Amino acid sequence: MTRRRPRAAALVVALVAAVAGTASPAEGAPPAAAPAQPVTSPVTVCSGVRDAPVLVAGDLLVDGQCVLGYTAVLGEIRTTPGSRLFLNGAGRTDGDVHLAPGAIAALTGVHVGGGIHLDDVDRLYLTTGSVARSIRGRAARVEIERTRVGGALNVAVPEATTLTGVRLVGAEVGGWVNLYGGTQDVAVSTLRRGLTMSWARRAAVCGTSVLADVTVRRARGPVHVSGAPWLPPCSPGTPPVRNAFGANLLLHENGPDVRVDGTDVAGDLDCRGATTPVVGDVTVGGARLGRCA
């Protein structure tokens, strides 16, 4: 690579500024974290605050805390371990977003041209934006609100995480949604393929359209397929929205608190294991099998 003159190098890292403060479907197999990939050149480093619009000609490397308004990144976005990235005011990145262990990222109104890779991430928040490809890996907390994901959503929550997990509200996902561990809440969303929820501390699906199978298996806490009071869009007092599943609803080997109502199932309702679910207002196009017979 051509050696840059000191003055040119200073322009490459013009985003750096001093800133203080912190922000605070295989059976039984959890999703794997995406492998690390080499950083490409040129690289712009951000570890500060920038209010003016920013254009990054290559990749953006977040080191520390980086707060940006409208930003266009023509390459990829990467973080160092424990870094914090806040992109506000829309913008885009043409490549992937790679989040390192312990990282926190909040993207509002941002279009990601590639996918998002989670490597034992602390938190990821996506609001009113889009991701062209898939979101995959491990994270303690993922919240996706009013955002379209073109590919799959494949997230594992660490075993030690009990109070947080994955939450979808008003989201649209083009590929399969496969969630493993932690709390798992899916509200008023549209899933263009299927949904698999495994080993959840709590699992809830309300007001959601799923075109393929919905599977909830081996949950270690309550399972509610309809409405749930901890999901604001589906709380009592709001207009009810029924679940609509285009194939089967499979409830396998879950704990004692399993409830199903306000749901239309085009295929079979299949309940297996020691628990007999409480089934209320449910229409079934196929057969009622197992403990739901």
Side-chain angles (χ1 to χ4, degrees), residues 35-245:
Q37 298 181 13
V39 176
T40 58
S41 184
V43 176
T44 297
V45 178
C46 176
S47 60
V49 178
R50 182 69 175 258
D51 295 327
V54 175
L55 173 63
V56 178
D59 294 349
L60 177 67
L61 177 64
V62 177
D63 186 12
Q65 178 165 288
C66 174
V67 182
L68 299 173
Y70 176 85
T71 302
V73 179
L74 303 187
E76 298 181 339
I77 296 177
R78 296 174 178 271
T79 72
T80 59
S83 292
R84 293 165 170 81
L85 169 64
F86 301 93
L87 292 183
N88 306 305
R92 78 175 202 271
T93 176
D94 290 351
D96 295 335
V97 175
H98 300 268
L99 301 178
I104 295 174
L107 282 61
T108 301
V110 175
H111 170 70
V112 178
I116 299 180
H117 305 269
L118 309 172
D119 186 4
D120 285 312
V121 170
D122 187 340
R123 281 167 275 174
L124 170 64
Y125 302 101
L126 300 176
T127 306
T128 61
S130 65
V131 179
R133 296 183 180 176
S134 298
I135 301 174
R136 301 179 183 273
R138 285 168 50 91
R141 185 170 188 169
V142 174
E143 297 194 10
I144 301 175
E145 183 173 353
R146 291 173 292 156
T147 294
R148 184 184 186 280
V149 179
L153 177 63
N154 194 343
V155 178
V157 178
E159 174 65 23
T161 302
T162 60
L163 299 179
T164 60
V166 181
R167 183 170 182 263
L168 306 181
V169 178
E172 179 182 346
V173 183
W176 203 281
V177 176
N178 182 22
L179 309 178
Y180 187 100
T183 60
Q184 304 174 14
D185 299 330
V186 181
V188 289
S189 294
T190 300
L191 310 185
R192 301 296 179 186
R193 295 199 64 191
L195 169 64
T196 301
M197 309 170 86
S198 303
W199 293 99
R201 301 284 182 176
R202 179 189 74 226
V205 184
C206 65
T208 291
S209 171
V210 184
L211 270 63
D213 286 350
V214 174
T215 302
V216 184
R217 60 191 178 196
R218 298 177 182 172
R220 291 171 284 185
V223 176
H224 293 175
V225 180
S226 62
W230 53 79
L231 292 173
C234 303
S235 298
T238 60
V241 178
R242 296 179 67 86
N243 288 317
F245 301 157

